[in-house]
């Protein structure tokens, strides 16, 4: 092993209490994402960022806070250097709600240690990853090493609700030649991640009184007295959902990526609302009166696509499917379903960093030198890595292990936390170089 890297790793091992203690400190500052739950003392993102900024300043980093959303600041720590060998270490500080607190056997914000586990909401997802990034920089700084490439630490908000913290930093120009996101991976290396779209499909029918439904479905003579028939949007939507299921089966069976599970590119029908009338928000205005033939159905879809696909290609193919479905009905040919992409502003680009890329091989190589086997695979969900990839950057996800994220008794495995710190530090030294 490179002697410089070895000296830094030895320093991390000798000072392992730092990364453990910092993780505890971060867990003990509750930072529940206010989009999910608001309450006294649980939405303290500014307090955490202020605390972390003090730590970064003590390490000699240049720091900057900026509001990604009102009252919700991002934090950037920077060590100057060249853009050619620059690197970003990313982690998010927002966490999901605790849920039913009585189901926790530990204090959700206590940062308690039992055996080799450090418990608390956000411990594994992902305050441990944030702490590992900081501890890696600490070891490099205390070793007296000067990096050739610029290094930035991004401590961001709102990852759990769509990634708008990282999106804001990218809009402000915080880019680099590469990025590592320390989400939990249980020691696996993740250079790939599928993209994600949220799409709203609105199907339009025609309202009428339910007593005259026979006028819609049975053959009628077109006389002067005949009432204009209604068109039931819910029934049209049922046909659409049946066709959508076949479309999903088709695309999942004929496409794949070597690093992600077969069938990852599914389409989840997440929300359906049907009724009559349409409010200013585009949703049905009346959803409690079955005596009205409904004229509006709104279907919200969560749509995953593969790492090698582009958003433009994926959207175009789905739009073609919807168009051809509409041709099967006289009514739908005249009133085709309407699509709204990026529902709620949400859109995750795909990530597809080559396995042989130096940033990926650096992580794998260090683990090999430590005698560890490494699984290489794609991320099944989505994370902030997507936005750096969407900006054209090579990205890898690598982080510690644990359990209970988004659940109860969340914890991070302490040995994996220390190991993550070592791997991140070694990758920084290899990627950024030492002057």
């Amino acid at each position: 092993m490179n002697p410089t890297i070895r000296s830094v790793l030895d320093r991390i091992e000798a000072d392992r209490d730092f990364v453990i203690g910092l993780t505890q400190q971060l867990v003990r500052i509750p930072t529940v994402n206010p989009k999910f739950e608001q309450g006294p003392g649980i939405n303290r993102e500014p307090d955490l960022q202020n605390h972390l900024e003090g730590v970064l300043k003590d390490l000699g980093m240049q720091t900057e806070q900026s509001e990604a959303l009102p009252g919700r600041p991002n934090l950037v720590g920077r060590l100057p250097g060249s853009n050619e060998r620059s690197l970003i270490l990313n982690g998010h500080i927002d966490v999901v709600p605790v849920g039913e607190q009585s189901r926790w056997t530990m204090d959700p914000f206590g940062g308690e240690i039992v055996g080799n586990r450090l418990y608390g909401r956000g411990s594994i997802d992902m305050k441990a990853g944030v702490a590992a990034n900081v501890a890696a920089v600490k070891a490099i700084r205390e070793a007296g090493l000067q990096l050739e490439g610029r290094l930035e630490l991004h401590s961001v908000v709102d990852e759990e609700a769509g990634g708008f913290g990282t999106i804001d930093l990218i809009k402000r120009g915080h880019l680099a030649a590469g990025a590592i996101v320390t989400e939990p991976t249980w020691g696996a290396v993740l250079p790939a991640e599928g993209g994600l779209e949220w799409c709203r499909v609105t199907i339009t029918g025609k309202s009428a009184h339910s007593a005259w439904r026979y006028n819609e479905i049975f053959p009628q003579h077109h006389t002067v007295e005949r009432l204009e028939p209604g068109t039931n949007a819910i029934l049209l939507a049922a046909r659409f959902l049946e066709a959508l299921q076949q479309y999903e089966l088709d695309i999942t069976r004929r496409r794949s990526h070597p690093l992600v599970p077969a069938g990852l590119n599914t389409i989840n029908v997440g929300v359906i609302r049907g009724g009559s009338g349409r409010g200013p928000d585009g949703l049905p205005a009346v959803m409690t009166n079955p005596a009205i033939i409904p004229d509006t159905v709104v279907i919200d879809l969560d749509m995953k696509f593969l790492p090698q696909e582009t958003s433009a290609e994926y959207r175009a193919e789905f739009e073609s499917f919807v168009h051809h479905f509409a041709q099967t009905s006289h009514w739908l040919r005249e009133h085709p379903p309407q699509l709204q992409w990026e529902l709620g502003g949400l859109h995750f680009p795909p990530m597809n960093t080559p396995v042989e890329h130096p940033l990926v091989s650096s992580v794998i190589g260090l683990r090999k030198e430590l005698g560890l086997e490494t699984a290489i695979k794609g991320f099944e969900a989505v994370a902030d890595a997507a936005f750096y990839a969407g900006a054209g950057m090579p990205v890898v996800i690598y982080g510690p292990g644990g359990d209970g994220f988004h659940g109860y008794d969340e914890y991070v495995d302490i040995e994996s936390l220390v190991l993550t710190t070592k791997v991140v530090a070694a990758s920084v030294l290899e990627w950024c170089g030492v002057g």
Side-chain angles (χ1 to χ4, degrees):
M1 182 180 293
N2 180 298
T4 300
I5 293 178
R6 169 54 68 186
S7 68
V8 170
L9 268 55
D10 290 344
R11 186 175 294 272
I12 291 169
E13 182 63 36
D15 193 24
R16 59 193 284 133
D17 286 347
F18 174 81
V19 70
I20 297 169
L22 181 58
T23 303
Q24 286 181 299
Q25 293 167 21
L26 301 183
V27 168
R28 289 168 179 166
I29 304 175
T31 51
V32 174
N33 191 310
K35 291 181 178 179
F36 302 142
E37 182 182 7
Q38 297 184 29
I42 67 170
N43 312 115
R44 296 174 56 195
E45 291 171 330
D47 292 339
L48 188 148
Q49 298 291 42
N50 289 337
H51 174 77
L52 197 57
E53 183 173 29
V55 176
L56 299 185
K57 285 183 175 179
D58 288 344
L59 298 179
M61 300 192 82
Q62 303 167 1
T63 62
E64 169 191 337
Q65 290 196 37
S66 58
E67 282 198 343
L69 298 161
R72 305 184 64 191
N74 286 326
L75 170 64
V76 175
R78 182 185 302 104
L79 294 177
S82 71
N83 289 329
E84 291 75 17
R85 304 191 69 171
S86 56
L87 183 67
I88 289 169
L89 304 178
N90 169 284
H92 69 85
I93 63 161
D94 63 309
V95 302
V96 298
V98 167
E100 189 179 341
Q101 189 156 342
S102 63
R103 297 184 64 180
W104 286 74
T105 64
M106 302 288 179
D107 180 351
F109 299 112
E112 300 172 65
I113 294 176
V114 178
N116 193 48
R117 298 177 176 181
L118 192 162
Y119 286 88
R121 173 57 84 227
S123 54
I124 183 65
D125 187 19
M126 62 168 292
K127 292 180 178 181
V130 174
N133 293 339
V134 176
V137 174
K138 180 177 186 289
I140 292 170
R141 296 290 287 171
E142 292 183 349
L145 301 174
Q146 182 70 37
L147 299 175
E148 291 184 17
R150 170 173 50 85
L151 179 66
E152 289 193 5
L153 265 64
H154 291 182
S155 174
V156 301
V157 298
D158 208 52
E159 189 273 349
E160 297 289 2
F164 295 102
T166 293
I167 289 171
D168 187 73
L169 282 185
I170 290 173
K171 287 180 178 178
R172 294 173 185 267
H174 288 281
L175 297 170
I180 300 174
V181 177
T182 48
E183 286 274 10
T185 68
W186 295 266
V189 175
L190 279 55
E193 171 183 298
L196 179 69
E197 301 282 5
W198 274 11
C199 180
R200 172 167 289 174
V201 181
T202 300
I203 295 175
T204 301
K206 183 179 184 300
S207 285
H209 195 295
S210 63
W212 278 266
R213 175 161 157 69
Y214 72 90
N215 191 33
E216 172 190 353
I217 63 174
F218 283 97
Q220 303 290 321
H221 293 293
H222 288 280
T223 64
V224 175
E225 297 83 8
R226 184 191 178 193
L227 298 176
E228 190 171 331
T231 301
N232 192 308
I234 290 179
L235 294 181
L236 291 175
R239 291 176 49 202
F240 172 77
L241 292 176
E242 184 178 6
L244 180 67
Q245 187 175 27
Q246 292 302 313
Y247 176 77
E248 177 190 46
L249 287 173
D250 176 57
I251 62 174
T252 53
R253 287 173 176 172
R254 62 185 169 88
R255 294 180 187 159
S256 63
H257 185 280
L259 296 184
V260 302
L264 180 76
N265 48 331
T266 53
I267 301 173
N268 184 55
V269 181
V271 181
I272 301 178
R273 284 160 286 202
S276 60
R278 192 171 300 174
D281 57 2
L283 301 178
V286 178
M287 292 185 284
T288 57
N289 189 349
I292 304 174
I293 293 174
D295 66 354
T296 300
V297 171
V298 176
I299 305 171
D300 293 344
L301 305 175
D302 177 288
M303 313 172 74
K304 199 78 186 293
F305 58 102
L306 297 175
Q308 75 272 26
E309 297 179 305
T310 70
S311 175
E313 293 168 343
Y314 183 80
R315 293 184 187 191
E317 184 178 41
F318 183 72
E319 289 168 0
S320 177
F321 154 72
V322 173
H323 169 76
H324 284 90
F325 167 78
Q327 305 314 299
T328 65
S329 159
H330 172 74
W331 175 266
L332 290 174
R333 284 197 298 272
E334 300 296 324
H335 309 85
Q338 300 300 304
L339 304 183
Q340 177 189 344
W341 294 104
E342 298 188 33
L343 181 63
L346 189 141
H347 161 69
F348 284 80
M351 177 180 75
N352 197 27
T353 307
V355 173
E356 63 275 10
H357 191 278
L359 190 60
V360 181
S361 59
S362 173
V363 178
I364 297 171
L366 189 277
R367 286 181 54 86
K368 184 176 182 180
E369 290 198 60
L370 293 175
L372 301 171
E373 294 185 2
T374 303
I376 306 170
K377 59 182 185 177
F379 192 32
E380 291 91 345
V382 289
D384 280 344
F387 306 115
Y388 297 114
M393 293 170 52
V395 192
V396 63
I397 304 173
Y398 176 81
D403 204 350
F405 53 99
H406 292 209
Y408 301 103
D409 285 347
E410 179 180 354
Y411 72 88
V412 62
D413 177 273
I414 290 175
E415 289 303 320
S416 74
L417 170 60
V418 176
L419 176 60
T420 297
T421 305
K422 294 176 180 179
V423 172
V424 170
S427 296
V428 169
L429 292 170
E430 287 195 351
W431 181 263
C432 294
V434 178

